[in-house]
Amino acid sequence: MAFDLNSYLSDEQALINAEIDRMLPDSDGISRIVEAMRYSLLADGKRVRPILCIAAFRLVGGKTKDILPVACALEMIHTYSLIHDDLPAMDNDHLRRGKPTCHVMFDEATALLAGDALLTLAFETLSAPTLAVNRTAQWLEVIQTISKAAGFRGMIEGQMRDMHAEGSQLTLDALEVLHHLKTGALIRASVLAGAVVGGGCAEQIKNLEIYAQNLGLAFQITDDILNIEGDPHLMGKAAGTDALRCKNTYPVIMGLDEAKQYARTIIDRALKALENFDNRAQPLREIAQYILTRKR
Amino acid sequence: MAFDLNSYLSDEQALINAEIDRMLPDSDGISRIVEAMRYSLLADGKRVRPILCIAAFRLVGGKTKDILPVACALEMIHTYSLIHDDLPAMDNDHLRRGKPTCHVMFDEATALLAGDALLTLAFETLSAPTLAVNRTAQWLEVIQTISKAAGFRGMIEGQMRDMHAEGSQLTLDALEVLHHLKTGALIRASVLAGAVVGGGCAEQIKNLEIYAQNLGLAFQITDDILNIEGDPHLMGKAAGTDALRCKNTYPVIMGLDEAKQYARTIIDRALKALENFDNRAQPLREIAQYILTRKR
């Protein structure tokens, strides 16, 4: 049976969304914080990080549902970073995942606390006592990998550089470092966490790391391209915002056509890192191809 | 030799500050985020949570330095909550620990990210691979305890209720729940984490939990009293701010003298929970007494 990426992605999204919904039950409006957390977390996201995590897990032979809490924790961390990034003190964005941003829907204080709560819940989820009774060392390793990626040497430093780079001209190298930090670090951690929990060997983990780093970069380049050429309705957020903010983007630094070509080169590198895997790598291969043609 | 609480506290503070300094080295201004994290974390705090954690650890027989990362992680979480609480969208405070608040010293975006980074670093610290090689299950339990206390069913829900209660009149019961969430949960987790890592038995842990819950509440009551009677220079923050904000406090709801009497009653309960411990409980006993007379 031919592999159908669209149905694969929507099956995975449904699995992840059901798990998130189970983890953070609707409190019938009793807690405004839970309401705001659910509002942003259950919005129509692509679930890139959890999907990559589960795909890497299965690729190295993982079979149980152990990986689901890790996948959901990654989405919680990603969502918290979006909520805080959208705040007036940061990017002051009003639209996200096709809906008003958290602070517009609720208020700034609630959005701030909902982001804090999602970050905290990620670590509560990753340390749940029902998990991996005999593999606690591995579980600590996953917490370490994810917290490092999300922290001040990873994603947060990337957000800081992104903000301070607005209005000044970056070199291509500096832009690359910025994106490796801002989006690359957590995407890399997602794939690594999946491979570690799945019991991958050192060589598999090394190759998956190369895949993830290139995929993350290509994802960012196409994000920049979509901000110029994309359809705001498909993306669920405004287009053209990078130019308005004089953001450093690949199309600005390289030119639009060169940026598209560069994304293809980077995706080829990602695919090459998978060449020693069998056909269980098909989801990761197809996801890499999809990055180049995505509309959202 | 008689126990001297002042020198005990300052020795412990020095130990904790040295460890924090080691964990988050001065980056010579290379990273503004690290600068802001250090600014708030190394300010002149009382280190209540780490001191309680270490005291509980030693009380149940803990001897190694294993507990220091836990102690520091607790202070990181407490400091992140102060930074975010001080932001304009929340309490909009300008003075903290005797210095301008983080967003006044840096800017709102940096303060927001520095708070996020401290929370994340706490979990990175708690999952460091050098820790407790043979006790990974216990370590996961500590992460679980602390993340639950800091999250949306604990500290964050408390902050939310605190903010929404401003200007409306709470009952004493509702105020008590608010404080059990806002400050009590993390203080309880600090003592529990120390007892768990120290290898305490179930009965010791139960008694320490009762101690912690009462201590946390008494700490909050005396905080409310200090906000009326305290010396801003000794406290390192402004006094009289609760009244200006029409905050629900114990003195407002009960009257000042009754609040003082209530703090004494609560401290007696905390001390009673320690009565089956030997003289290794002296630091915790003296700390409880100190709460009633503290000036900062």
Side-chain angles (χ1 to χ4, degrees):
Chain A
M1 203 172 69
F3 180 82
D4 177 355
L5 183 66
N6 281 334
S7 65
Y8 172 84
L9 293 177
S10 59
D11 286 355
E12 293 295 88
Q13 284 158 356
L15 181 73
I16 294 154
N17 292 345
E19 188 67 11
I20 289 174
D21 190 40
R22 198 188 61 74
M23 281 179 177
L24 191 62
D26 189 349
S27 59
D28 296 320
I30 289 169
S31 164
R32 190 171 160 88
I33 281 290
V34 174
E35 229 185 304
M37 292 164 81
R38 285 179 58 90
Y39 174 79
S40 290
L41 192 57
L42 288 168
D44 184 28
K46 293 183 283 291
R47 312 300 184 210
V48 173
R49 291 151 194 81
I51 287 174
L52 288 172
C53 175
I54 297 172
F57 171 79
R58 294 209 189 114
L59 169 55
V60 300
K63 284 193 174 65
T64 66
K65 291 197 158 184
D66 265 12
I67 198 62
L68 276 179
V70 185
C72 294
L74 289 161
E75 190 65 19
M76 290 172 194
I77 293 176
H78 174 57
T79 303
Y80 119 77
S81 77
L82 299 179
I83 294 175
H84 282 189
D85 227 16
D86 287 338
L87 283 170
M90 302 275 298
D91 284 352
N92 196 20
D93 272 318
H94 291 222
L95 198 62
R96 172 70 75 179
R97 292 177 166 177
K99 305 200 296 185
T101 47
C102 193
H103 68 275
V104 169
M105 190 63 188
F106 295 85
D107 55 74
E108 270 187 65
T110 304
L112 174 67
L113 292 175
D116 292 345
L118 283 172
L119 175 57
T120 311
L121 183 59
F123 292 105
E124 185 185 325
T125 303
L126 289 171
S127 60
T130 51
L131 296 171
V133 179
N134 297 314
R135 300 191 302 162
T136 50
Q138 222 172 35
W139 226 254
L140 277 180
E141 185 185 340
V142 166
I143 296 177
Q144 179 74 187
T145 300
I146 293 176
S147 58
K148 273 195 167 157
F152 74 92
R153 296 181 210 88
M155 187 174 76
I156 291 175
E157 175 67 19
Q159 285 178 296
M160 191 74 183
R161 290 192 190 196
D162 194 26
M163 208 170 47
H164 281 272
E166 279 180 29
S168 66
Q169 171 95 40
L170 290 187
T171 64
L172 190 59
D173 281 352
L175 185 65
E176 205 118 323
V177 172
L178 189 162
H179 288 310
H180 273 307
L181 293 167
K182 186 174 170 172
T183 49
L186 195 60
I187 285 180
R188 174 179 166 275
S190 303
V191 171
L192 287 185
V196 166
V197 178
C201 69
E203 192 181 332
Q204 289 177 317
I205 290 176
K206 203 190 99 209
N207 282 318
L208 282 170
E209 188 173 1
I210 298 171
Y211 167 84
Q213 281 178 316
N214 285 293
L215 190 87
L217 195 55
F219 189 80
Q220 188 58 52
I221 301 168
T222 53
D223 219 49
D224 287 353
I225 294 169
L226 279 174
N227 198 281
I228 296 174
E229 297 189 328
D231 176 343
H233 292 101
L234 288 176
M235 295 193 294
K237 59 184 177 185
T241 52
D242 290 345
L244 281 174
R245 288 191 190 120
C246 302
K247 273 211 157 183
N248 287 277
T249 67
Y250 284 91
V252 164
I253 294 183
M254 310 179 84
L256 186 57
D257 288 341
E258 288 77 4
K260 288 178 182 174
Q261 178 54 45
Y262 188 49
R264 277 190 290 273
T265 305
I266 299 287
I267 285 296
D268 284 344
R269 282 183 208 158
L271 290 171
K272 194 162 159 42
L274 296 181
E275 65 188 8
N276 289 329
F277 289 102
D278 61 18
N279 65 0
R280 282 183 299 185
Q282 196 162 9
L284 289 180
R285 291 192 184 107
E286 299 265 350
I287 288 168
Q289 297 286 4
Y290 166 74
I291 297 283
L292 293 175
T293 56
R294 71 194 182 100
K295 301 290 177 215
R296 53 174 289 214
Chain B
M1 202 172 68
F3 180 83
D4 177 355
L5 183 67
N6 281 333
S7 66
Y8 172 84
L9 293 178
S10 59
D11 286 354
E12 293 295 87
Q13 283 158 358
L15 181 73
I16 294 154
N17 291 346
E19 187 68 10
I20 288 174
D21 190 39
R22 198 189 60 73
M23 279 181 180
L24 192 62
D26 190 349
S27 58
D28 295 321
I30 289 169
S31 164
R32 189 171 162 87
I33 280 290
V34 174
E35 228 185 303
M37 291 164 82
R38 284 180 59 90
Y39 174 81
S40 290
L41 193 57
L42 288 168
D44 183 29
K46 293 183 285 290
R47 313 300 185 210
V48 173
R49 290 152 194 80
I51 287 174
L52 289 172
C53 174
I54 296 172
F57 171 79
R58 294 209 190 114
L59 170 55
V60 299
K63 284 193 175 64
T64 68
K65 291 197 159 187
D66 264 13
I67 197 62
L68 276 180
V70 186
C72 294
L74 289 162
E75 191 64 19
M76 290 171 194
I77 292 177
H78 175 56
T79 304
Y80 118 77
S81 78
L82 298 180
I83 295 175
H84 282 189
D85 227 16
D86 288 337
L87 283 170
M90 302 273 299
D91 283 353
N92 196 19
D93 272 318
H94 292 225
L95 197 62
R96 171 71 75 180
R97 292 175 166 177
K99 304 200 295 186
T101 46
C102 193
H103 68 276
V104 169
M105 190 65 188
F106 295 84
D107 55 73
E108 269 187 66
T110 304
L112 174 66
L113 291 175
D116 291 345
L118 284 171
L119 175 57
T120 312
L121 183 59
F123 292 106
E124 186 184 325
T125 303
L126 289 171
S127 60
T130 50
L131 296 170
V133 179
N134 296 314
R135 299 192 302 162
T136 49
Q138 222 171 36
W139 226 253
L140 277 180
E141 186 185 339
V142 166
I143 297 177
Q144 179 74 189
T145 300
I146 294 176
S147 57
K148 273 194 167 157
F152 74 93
R153 294 181 210 88
M155 187 175 74
I156 291 177
E157 175 66 18
Q159 285 178 296
M160 191 74 182
R161 290 191 190 196
D162 195 25
M163 208 171 46
H164 281 274
E166 278 180 29
S168 66
Q169 170 94 40
L170 289 187
T171 63
L172 189 60
D173 281 352
L175 184 65
E176 204 119 322
V177 172
L178 190 162
H179 289 309
H180 272 308
L181 293 166
K182 186 173 171 171
T183 50
L186 195 60
I187 286 180
R188 174 179 167 274
S190 303
V191 171
L192 288 185
V196 166
V197 178
C201 69
E203 192 181 333
Q204 289 178 317
I205 291 177
K206 203 190 99 208
N207 282 319
L208 283 169
E209 187 174 0
I210 297 171
Y211 167 83
Q213 282 179 315
N214 285 293
L215 190 87
L217 194 55
F219 189 80
Q220 187 58 53
I221 300 169
T222 53
D223 219 49
D224 287 353
I225 294 169
L226 280 173
N227 199 281
I228 295 174
E229 297 189 328
D231 177 344
H233 292 100
L234 288 176
M235 294 194 293
K237 60 184 178 184
T241 52
D242 290 345
L244 282 174
R245 287 191 189 119
C246 304
K247 274 210 157 182
N248 287 278
T249 67
Y250 285 90
V252 164
I253 294 183
M254 309 178 86
L256 186 57
D257 287 341
E258 288 77 4
K260 287 178 184 176
Q261 178 53 45
Y262 188 49
R264 277 190 290 273
T265 306
I266 299 287
I267 285 296
D268 284 343
R269 283 183 207 157
L271 290 170
K272 194 163 160 40
L274 297 180
E275 65 187 9
N276 290 329
F277 289 100
D278 61 19
N279 65 0
R280 282 183 298 184
Q282 194 162 10
L284 289 181
R285 291 191 185 109
E286 299 266 348
I287 288 168
Q289 298 285 5
Y290 167 74
I291 297 283
L292 292 175
T293 57
R294 70 195 182 98
K295 301 289 179 217
R296 53 174 290 217

